[in-house]
Amino acid sequence: MFGPLLNGLKITLKHMVTPGVTVKYPYEHRKVAERYRGRHILKVDEEGRELCCACGLCEAVCPSRCITIYGEEDERFEKSNVGKIAGFYQIDYTRCIFCGFCVEACPRGAIEMTQFYELAEPAQKGDDPRAGLLYYKERLMKEPPTLGEEGGAK
Amino acid sequence: MLALVVITIVKLLVLFAFTMTCVAYGTLAERKVCGHIQDRIGPCYCGPRGLLQPLADGLKLFFKEDITPSEVDKPVFILAPVLAVAPPLLAIGVIPFGESITLFGHKIPLVVADVNVAVLYLFAVASFSVYSIVLGGWASNSKYPLLGGLRSAAQMISYELVLGLSIMGVIMLAGSFSLTDIVHAQKHWWFVLTQPLGFLIYIVAATAELNRLPFDLPEAESELVGGYHTEYSSMKFAMFFLGEYANMVVASAVGACLFLGGWNPPFAFLSFIPGIIWFLIKLFFIFFTLLWIRWSWPRLRYDQLMTFSWKYLLPLSLLNIVATAGVMLWMHRI
Ligand code: SF4
Ligand code: SF4
């Protein structure tokens, strides 16, 4: 009877002296894996042209139906090298499950995921308090802010 | 005469402050120990390393709404938390913290009241603790507190017996009921060496007496919501915890006095360290053990609890008494 009890005490003592695993979030941030699936980013090529050609594959594959795209002609090939861009690109982060299917579906490597995970937004004034979680193209093309810094929302 | 009154009052105040600090930091220690055992770090934001946490907790509890449910038996409901705090505060008065010190030509013993039947007094006072739980459970007029109260009545009565018997060996060896005499008797051999079984039984029974895990049946959260204090809120709720931690301090202090040699240093050459420091080290060692046990072992089932007390601990402690008596007689003859 005493053996197991003493063993239990030994184990708890061992854990007491090993350092804890606590991360003092929001003061410290946990290092995420390299392939962590965080907020998306829409990429551009070397000349700064948008890679996304509004093919709609990501929209089609998305299991939670949270991507909305409307294509747009780009006759003078200024913004794209194929003559077509997504005039409207929106990801609804109230619904995205960060599965990464969109990234895998994209034939042009136009959409990728970053390690950014601080996606909470304050409630917005107006009809839809969650409107801040609808990310439009401009915001999706910007690099996400550093973790823990103010302004992740902007 | 005046000097005596002043000295006693000062001693009382110091002791009260000490106990309350111990209680406050006992709660912090509990949370820290629990945190580290579970690979966390415990409270860490309030003050440096969380050291101001007890203050914050106290303030929070003061400002909480004090709810008295409409169906309770009001006088008893209010009396119960008071009864939880009073016994340990009464008990701590007879505990000798060290040998006498001489200050301004007065010889001041480091004990408020050096009663010659201190052990009896301690047990008499300690048994009051059960009233707070039973009355609190009864007055709440609600099913979970009632069950908790009843459980604790049965538990405390059984374990009090064992607790009393466990220290009989010590009293026989020291030949006195006075804590000061008992400590003096341990100058060379601490009673934990001559009474190891007694010490073990004392720790077990004290844990049960304090309603702490693995014997915290009266407040088993998973079965009884909160046990006897389910209906209490705000400062009344805090009083129960104050009582519990103060009781822990007393139990640790008594354990240190009876078994760990009180203020005696473990080796003669270490006697340059004041006795009171030794006493505190021992006190906090037992206190820590109580915390450690709590976060290591699971709770007993109720029938196991009773079986353990009546079928194992009670015979064992009786055996201990008989064996001690036998050895004493035999030594006497030689
Ligand atoms: S990660 Fe998954 S859910 Fe989110 S947008 Fe891409 S496909 Fe849709
Ligand atoms: S992101 Fe990729 S898959 Fe989605 S529409 Fe643009 S090019 Fe097609």
Side-chain angles (χ1 to χ4, degrees), chain B residues 21-331:
Chain B
T21 318
C22 274
V23 167
Y25 281 90
T27 60
L28 180 69
E30 171 114 75
R31 294 169 68 179
K32 278 281 184 193
V33 167
C34 150
H36 281 281
I37 281 180
Q38 298 171 351
D39 280 348
R40 299 182 284 113
I41 53 177
C44 59
Y45 287 129
C46 214
R49 307 194 128 245
L51 280 178
L52 297 181
Q53 189 67 40
L55 217 67
D57 286 343
L59 276 179
K60 184 197 91 172
L61 283 164
F62 261 117
F63 286 115
K64 284 218 156 181
E65 189 187 353
D66 189 3
I67 300 167
T68 309
S70 54
E71 294 294 307
V72 300
D73 185 344
K74 215 160 170 208
V76 186
F77 188 75
I78 294 169
L79 182 69
V82 177
L83 277 181
V85 183
L89 288 182
L90 285 174
I92 199 113
V94 296
I95 289 164
F97 278 69
E99 244 159 337
S100 316
I101 49 169
T102 315
L103 217 62
F104 308 121
H106 286 286
K107 196 155 166 289
I108 305 174
L110 288 178
V111 48
V112 175
D114 189 6
V115 190
N116 58 357
V117 286
V119 179
L120 288 183
Y121 170 79
L122 272 177
F123 279 82
V125 171
S127 36
F128 268 108
S129 295
V130 69
Y131 282 106
S132 89
I133 295 179
V134 175
L135 291 182
W138 183 255
S140 294
N141 204 356
S142 151
K143 54 183 176 271
Y144 295 121
L146 180 62
L147 284 173
L150 288 181
R151 276 185 180 191
S152 81
Q155 168 176 343
M156 288 178 111
I157 288 166
S158 329
Y159 276 88
E160 205 151 276
L161 208 63
V162 177
L163 193 70
L165 290 177
S166 74
I167 59 162
M168 273 308 145
V170 167
I171 288 161
M172 285 155 76
L173 284 177
S176 165
F177 270 121
S178 151
L179 281 174
T180 320
D181 288 350
I182 291 177
V183 173
H184 277 305
Q186 300 180 71
K187 209 146 193 103
H188 305 294
W189 286 99
W190 293 1
F191 286 146
V192 66
L193 298 173
T194 41
Q195 290 281 326
L197 190 61
F199 182 59
L200 268 183
I201 296 174
Y202 174 81
I203 292 286
V204 172
T207 322
E209 203 47 23
L210 295 167
N211 291 323
R212 288 180 62 82
L213 265 165
F215 307 107
D216 68 337
L217 274 298
E219 40 181 318
E221 293 93 345
S222 43
E223 306 149 31
L224 292 182
V225 190
Y228 56 89
H229 53 55
T230 308
E231 302 292 345
Y232 282 89
S233 52
S234 183
M235 225 32 217
K236 289 206 202 90
F237 173 78
M239 295 273 263
F240 279 116
F241 276 85
L242 226 94
E244 178 179 332
Y245 283 89
N247 263 327
M248 274 171 75
V249 174
V250 172
S252 314
V254 173
C257 271
L258 292 181
F259 292 99
L260 298 185
W263 63 78
N264 289 318
F267 304 105
F269 68 87
L270 283 172
S271 52
F272 62 90
I273 300 174
I276 187 157
I277 306 271
W278 281 119
F279 182 73
L280 291 181
I281 290 175
K282 289 164 190 173
L283 194 161
F284 291 127
F285 171 73
I286 300 187
F287 196 90
F288 169 75
T289 314
L290 288 175
L291 299 183
W292 184 17
I293 290 175
R294 165 158 187 191
W295 295 104
S296 303
W297 295 345
R299 182 183 301 134
L300 262 67
R301 221 171 47 215
Y302 198 68
D303 59 324
Q304 291 170 335
L305 177 92
M306 282 301 170
T307 316
F308 190 55
S309 163
W310 292 103
K311 291 195 185 156
Y312 298 98
L313 285 185
L314 193 66
L316 263 180
S317 46
L318 286 173
L319 186 81
N320 189 38
I321 294 174
V322 174
T324 312
V327 170
M328 278 173 72
L329 266 182
W330 181 66
M331 300 257 281

Side-chain angles (χ1 to χ4, degrees), chain A residues 40 61-64 66-67 91 96-102 113:
Chain A
H40 303 80
V61 79
C62 177
S64 46
C66 61
I67 305 184
I91 298 184
C96 175
I97 56 170
F98 299 93
C99 62
F101 283 7
C102 48
M113 295 183 107

Side-chain angles (χ1 to χ4, degrees), chain A residues 2-16:
Chain A
F2 288 107
L5 286 180
L6 290 180
N7 206 9
L9 286 180
K10 205 179 83 197
I11 289 172
T12 45
L13 191 66
K14 210 168 73 204
H15 279 271
M16 213 181 308

